[in-house]
Amino acid sequence: MSATTAASARFGTAGLRASVTATMWTDLAVLTVLSLIAIAGFEPAFGPYNYLLAAFGGFVVGTVVALGCFLFRLSILPTIGIAILAYLLLGSPLTMPAQTLFGVIPSGQSLLGLFQGAIFGWADIVTLQTPVEAPAYIAVVPYFATWLVTLICVSLSLRWLPRKKRTPPRASILLIAPALLFLAGILLGTEEPYFAGLRGVGFAAIALVWLGWRRREPGVVAITVEGAMKRRRLVGVAIVVLGAIAIGGVGGVLLAPAAASRFVLRQEVTPPFDPLQYPSPLAGYRTFTKTLEKTDLFTVTGLETGQKIRMATLDSYDGQVWSVASPETQTNGSGGFELLGRNIPEPSLFTAGSRSNLTFTISGYKDVWLPNAEYPSTLDFEKHDGTDPTTTVRINTTTGTSAVTSGVSRGLVYKVGVVSPSIPNDKKLAKVPASSILMPPVTNVPDVVAAKAEEYAGSAKTTIQQLRNLERSLKTVGYLSHGLASDPVPSRAGEGADRMSELFTKEPMVGDEEQYASAFALMANHLGYPTRVVMGFAPKVGSGQNSVTVTGKDITAWDEVAFTGVGWVPFYPTPTKTDAPKEQTTKPKIEPQPQVRQPPRTDQKQEDLLTPVKISDKNPQDKNAGFQIPAWAWVVAGIIGIPLLAYFVPFLIIAALKRKRRRQRFDTGPPDRRVAGSWDELTDSYAELGLELPRRATRTQTAEVLGTQARAQGLVVPETGFAPLAARVDSVVFGDSEPSEEVVGSIWELTDSTTSASLESAGWLRRRIASFRYRRTNDRKTGRQRRGWSRFRPTSAQPAAEL
């Protein structure tokens, strides 16, 4: 067998490349349809069309990256790197445009959301109410799902499947990812399916027909099989599938279970407790002191003297009320509410002290906050009415607060194992700094609070001294009043910014635990100390008394500040003195006045006596403001500009490289080397069209392989093939005489015309793909070969292959 024949035999698979390419495109089309059917199952969770932009965006990003890297012959690792980069750059405007800069450019917050959504979004989506719209990163779930599925499916169908035996079991591996996406739509959805029967039957039918079409017989039979046999095979598969569809469709309609029996994770996973869904307990403080003052709320057995009952811990302030931190504002200092078992872990910042066991019997108390003492270690519900509280109780181990979403009401009996904190004295705390834990936001604080905090703290140096000064100042300057009719002076309820300003500016300073605990917490927070407000009860327990009944008058509130290595130290800033001085107002003495003749009446309206004032709605700063591009223009520019940049930037770079390559080969070096460069330019052009070139072969062997592949793929080639052109280049390169410029130009014209004809016949899409490919033959190796030939140049009649 000659070298030319051997090369042709080695690369004779070029004739099958068109069939393989067509098969790959068919595989991509089938996988695309299956993925679209699967992603439609996310509609019940996200609502109609709310997720389509993110889902289709991830689908396009994953497909384009996998296909582009395959066409550019990039290996797996660069493909993964490019896929992650595209995921981050394009994910922000597709999923969280409000978090980006100008609606397009990713920001730190949007990039963080892309990671949060991919990792935690799957758990969050089943705990949020449908349609899911918040948090912002929740839209990353469909984007990440389609991006990952298409990236894997397209990469496997282009890289792995063509290299293996094309049997249905191997092809069915590609169905795993779309099937998992279909299953995810079911599990993450609701009890109401989204065209479940139609989508399921369609998915199965397309998959079965595709597997039947994908089946190939090994060896020669796969090549020589008649078209009629293929058609009969497909018709047989289609008949079986249609029968399965008919039977499955009828059976599905008749035997379909009720929607309530549909298994979805949303019904099995308990949603997180959001305290902001309920009124702030501190805002209802006066309800206990007025309405429920003499009402028996609950009975506690086992309570020790001086032991307080904790109702709720509030650590977030917005200028209106103190509230329990929501899931969106939770920090390591506030913790979060969880569904726990009987045993409750201790807080991370805590020093354990004495332990006790309490039994609570609820009577007139009605709320979601479960009363307990200090920090619970165990919780057992003994009696209840209605919903089982063990399934609805949420416990925040950091704050010691418990809540029952189904409600705490009459008849509930439960036992609590309590661990009291060990609090050192002030002498020991003088050497302990405040903790550096992060607390929820405290905003809209009036300026007078900061001024009073600096004034009351004084010149104290240690943390405990400054906090004791704040506590002592409030107890010394202020007076206690619940705003009752029996109180010496009135006291307005509330802990908002206006009430805090009134507390510090109006004399005398009057309020109750609601105002003083809030004022202390705001001042301590201004000084940089992590502080929270605790609302609870402080009943009086007599000596030897085993059981105590708690009423509304036992309500109280205090503050806690975190100290490093110690825990939360309590402070009680509310004064006890109630004899606030009354405001003295002297009534003016009424003296008789002489009668004065009144002026005549006028019909002029009272409003006409006022001088009209013209108010301009224009902002004077607008005159100095320059032209600003509206946000929608940035969004449109991003939607149009990003795809254009993604297309034209690599296109222009590769075009510049090709021009540089051609210029170096045409203008650089001796004439024989420039002639050799014309052949290299031709082979590189055909390689960029997708033809495979032999790695080690003469020009004549390469010409035979190129001709075989080009004809098999429908490209226009010279009637005599590429062999005469290869022979002419060899005769010039290895000839005795130096070729003239006319010979160099004529050979370049011949190679250019040959390449142009093939490009024209390749089709628009194939030419566009070729424009994104770049190949360069190793010119240095060719130069060394020519230098080796320079001393032993053969005659024009002697073939180069015989040397």
Side-chain angles (χ1 to χ4, degrees):
M1 182 183 294
S2 64
T4 302
T5 307
S8 300
R10 181 180 179 184
F11 300 98
T13 57
L16 297 177
R17 182 167 178 80
S19 174
V20 172
T21 302
T23 302
M24 284 195 257
W25 285 113
T26 304
D27 294 341
L28 294 181
V30 171
L31 295 174
T32 298
V33 175
L34 294 179
S35 299
L36 293 177
I37 294 176
I39 200 63
F42 284 75
E43 194 277 344
F46 288 91
Y49 315 119
N50 291 343
Y51 68 101
L52 291 182
L53 178 61
F56 283 120
F59 181 84
V60 173
V61 171
T63 302
V64 171
V65 169
L67 182 60
C69 292
F70 170 77
L71 295 176
F72 284 99
R73 296 185 177 92
L74 297 179
S75 60
I76 294 298
L77 290 180
T79 300
I80 295 175
I82 294 174
I84 295 176
L85 182 62
Y87 171 85
L88 296 176
L89 292 179
L90 301 177
S92 296
L94 290 172
T95 60
M96 296 171 287
Q99 310 294 336
T100 60
L101 303 177
F102 308 110
V104 177
I105 303 174
S107 63
Q109 186 176 2
S110 66
L111 293 178
L112 179 61
L114 290 173
F115 288 104
Q116 288 178 327
I119 298 173
F120 304 108
W122 304 93
D124 294 341
I125 192 174
V126 297
T127 61
L128 300 173
Q129 289 185 342
T130 58
V132 179
E133 297 178 354
Y137 63 76
I138 203 68
V140 176
V141 172
Y143 173 75
F144 174 81
T146 54
W147 169 81
L148 184 62
V149 167
T150 53
L151 181 66
I152 294 175
C153 289
V154 174
S155 298
L156 289 178
S157 65
L158 296 177
R159 298 172 183 267
W160 175 78
L161 192 59
R163 299 180 181 179
K164 304 294 181 180
K165 293 181 179 179
R166 297 182 292 276
T167 58
R170 291 188 179 275
S172 61
I173 295 178
L174 273 69
L175 298 176
I176 295 178
L180 291 177
L181 188 62
F182 194 98
L183 180 62
I186 297 175
L187 297 178
L188 300 179
T190 62
E191 292 180 348
E192 295 297 329
Y194 184 73
F195 298 106
L198 181 61
R199 290 174 47 246
V201 171
F203 188 98
I206 295 174
L208 291 175
V209 172
W210 176 66
L211 290 177
W213 174 84
R214 210 46 174 86
R215 185 171 181 269
R216 296 288 190 271
E217 296 295 337
V220 181
V221 179
I223 300 176
T224 60
V225 66
E226 297 292 339
M229 183 178 295
K230 290 183 180 180
R231 288 192 295 271
R232 286 195 298 270
R233 182 180 300 165
L234 289 177
V235 170
V237 173
I239 292 174
V240 174
V241 170
L242 290 176
I245 292 174
I247 297 175
V250 175
V253 173
L254 298 178
L255 304 177
S261 62
R262 178 181 172 90
F263 179 84
V264 291
L265 293 177
R266 189 176 305 277
Q267 302 300 327
E268 305 297 325
V269 178
T270 305
F273 173 70
D274 187 1
L276 296 184
Q277 294 181 353
Y278 306 92
S280 171
L282 190 62
Y285 188 89
R286 294 290 175 92
T287 303
F288 290 93
T289 60
K290 294 182 178 180
T291 307
L292 303 175
E293 179 185 8
K294 298 181 180 181
T295 302
D296 294 341
L297 302 178
F298 51 85
T299 302
V300 187
T301 303
L303 192 67
E304 300 176 358
T305 302
Q307 198 172 20
K308 291 182 173 56
I309 298 174
R310 186 183 299 261
M311 176 181 172
T313 303
L314 308 105
D315 41 27
S316 180
Y317 184 77
D318 59 359
Q320 297 181 359
V321 295
W322 281 93
S323 59
V324 183
S326 66
E328 289 76 16
T329 60
Q330 289 174 0
T331 63
N332 60 345
S334 66
F337 288 84
E338 300 176 290
L339 177 62
L340 303 175
R342 178 182 182 274
N343 298 315
I344 302 170
E346 293 183 352
S348 57
L349 185 61
F350 180 73
T351 302
S354 61
R355 296 178 179 270
S356 59
N357 294 303
L358 307 179
T359 301
F360 288 80
T361 302
I362 305 298
S363 51
Y365 179 85
K366 189 175 183 180
D367 208 330
V368 296
W369 308 105
L370 186 70
N372 62 74
E374 307 300 348
Y375 294 91
S377 59
T378 60
L379 177 61
D380 297 289
F381 291 96
E382 296 187 342
K383 295 181 181 179
H384 64 86
D385 296 329
T387 305
D388 185 1
T390 58
T391 62
T392 59
V393 64
R394 301 293 183 273
I395 301 175
N396 188 328
T397 58
T398 302
T399 63
T401 304
S402 303
V404 179
T405 58
S406 58
V408 179
S409 57
R410 184 182 299 273
L412 179 64
V413 180
Y414 58 95
K415 290 184 177 181
V416 183
V418 175
V419 182
S420 299
S422 177
I423 306 299
N425 55 35
D426 288 3
K427 185 177 180 180
K428 294 181 179 179
L429 288 175
K431 302 178 181 180
V432 181
S435 177
S436 58
I437 59 175
L438 181 64
M439 296 296 293
V442 175
T443 58
N444 301 323
V445 180
D447 296 336
V448 67
V449 173
K452 289 297 182 180
E454 301 292 342
E455 176 186 344
Y456 291 169
S459 59
K461 301 299 182 182
T462 63
T463 301
I464 188 63
Q465 287 177 348
Q466 290 185 350
L467 293 172
R468 290 303 182 195
N469 286 350
L470 298 182
E471 180 187 45
R472 189 180 304 111
S473 298
L474 290 175
K475 298 178 72 172
T476 301
V477 177
Y479 294 88
L480 175 63
S481 173
H482 294 296
L484 301 175
S486 58
D487 292 334
V489 292
S491 172
R492 188 163 66 93
E495 69 264 19
D498 59 333
R499 184 65 178 92
M500 292 296 98
S501 298
E502 178 184 311
L503 181 70
F504 287 110
T505 57
K506 188 177 180 179
E507 294 184 359
M509 179 186 290
V510 180
D512 57 11
E513 288 85 352
E514 180 186 4
Q515 287 77 49
Y516 288 109
S518 176
F520 179 91
L522 294 177
M523 289 192 294
N525 181 78
H526 169 74
L527 297 177
Y529 304 136
T531 310
R532 63 193 188 190
V533 178
V534 183
M535 182 175 173
F537 301 89
K540 295 180 180 180
V541 182
S543 178
Q545 187 177 1
N546 184 43
S547 179
V548 60
T549 299
V550 179
T551 61
K553 67 178 181 180
D554 296 322
I555 193 70
T556 186
W558 67 94
D559 297 279
E560 292 179 344
V561 180
F563 283 76
T564 303
V566 175
W568 295 87
V569 177
F571 293 85
Y572 306 96
T574 304
T576 56
K577 58 183 184 294
T578 58
D579 53 341
K582 297 183 179 180
E583 295 183 2
Q584 299 295 331
T585 57
T586 303
K587 296 183 178 180
K589 185 177 181 181
I590 302 176
E591 297 181 359
Q593 300 293 329
Q595 293 185 359
V596 179
R597 182 179 178 85
Q598 299 295 326
R601 297 186 61 182
T602 176
D603 294 335
Q604 187 178 13
K605 295 182 180 180
Q606 185 178 3
E607 291 81 358
D608 296 338
L609 300 176
L610 301 176
T611 303
V613 179
K614 295 182 179 180
I615 300 176
S616 176
D617 295 334
K618 297 181 179 180
N619 189 349
Q621 297 180 353
D622 294 343
K623 298 180 179 180
N624 299 326
F627 173 73
Q628 295 182 353
I629 300 177
W632 64 266
W634 288 107
V635 175
V636 174
I639 295 175
I640 299 176
I642 289 179
L644 292 179
L645 289 176
Y647 178 86
F648 283 105
V649 170
F651 174 80
L652 295 176
I653 293 175
I654 295 174
L657 292 175
K658 290 182 179 181
R659 286 194 299 269
K660 181 180 179 181
R661 178 188 68 188
R662 178 181 175 85
R663 186 171 60 252
Q664 290 178 345
R665 289 172 173 174
F666 184 78
D667 298 333
T668 306
D672 59 340
R673 184 176 179 181
R674 292 158 58 193
V675 171
S678 67
W679 177 261
D680 293 337
E681 188 70 19
L682 180 140
T683 55
D684 289 344
S685 299
Y686 279 97
E688 291 164 355
L689 274 175
L691 277 66
E692 297 184 3
L693 303 180
R695 295 185 178 181
R696 296 179 179 87
T698 63
R699 291 188 181 90
T700 304
Q701 294 171 337
T702 303
E704 292 293 335
V705 174
L706 284 180
T708 303
Q709 294 186 47
R711 291 190 182 93
Q713 299 182 21
L715 300 179
V716 173
V717 296
E719 294 182 2
T720 56
F722 298 97
L725 179 58
R728 183 176 179 184
V729 172
D730 280 341
S731 64
V732 173
V733 171
F734 302 112
D736 294 332
S737 59
E738 194 78 15
S740 62
E741 291 296 330
E742 290 77 7
V743 173
V744 175
S746 63
I747 294 180
W748 269 96
E749 291 179 1
L750 183 58
T751 55
D752 288 344
S753 61
T754 303
T755 306
S756 299
S758 298
L759 285 172
E760 290 296 330
S761 61
W764 179 87
L765 179 59
R766 191 168 184 179
R767 289 197 301 272
R768 295 285 70 77
I769 297 176
S771 65
F772 285 90
R773 288 174 173 162
Y774 178 76
R775 184 181 186 274
R776 185 183 180 95
T777 304
N778 194 340
D779 296 331
R780 293 185 177 181
K781 182 177 179 180
T782 305
R784 286 197 298 270
Q785 290 176 347
R786 285 196 298 271
R787 287 193 295 271
W789 281 99
S790 61
R791 293 187 300 171
F792 306 100
R793 290 203 176 195
T795 62
S796 59
Q798 186 178 8
E802 295 179 4
L803 276 166

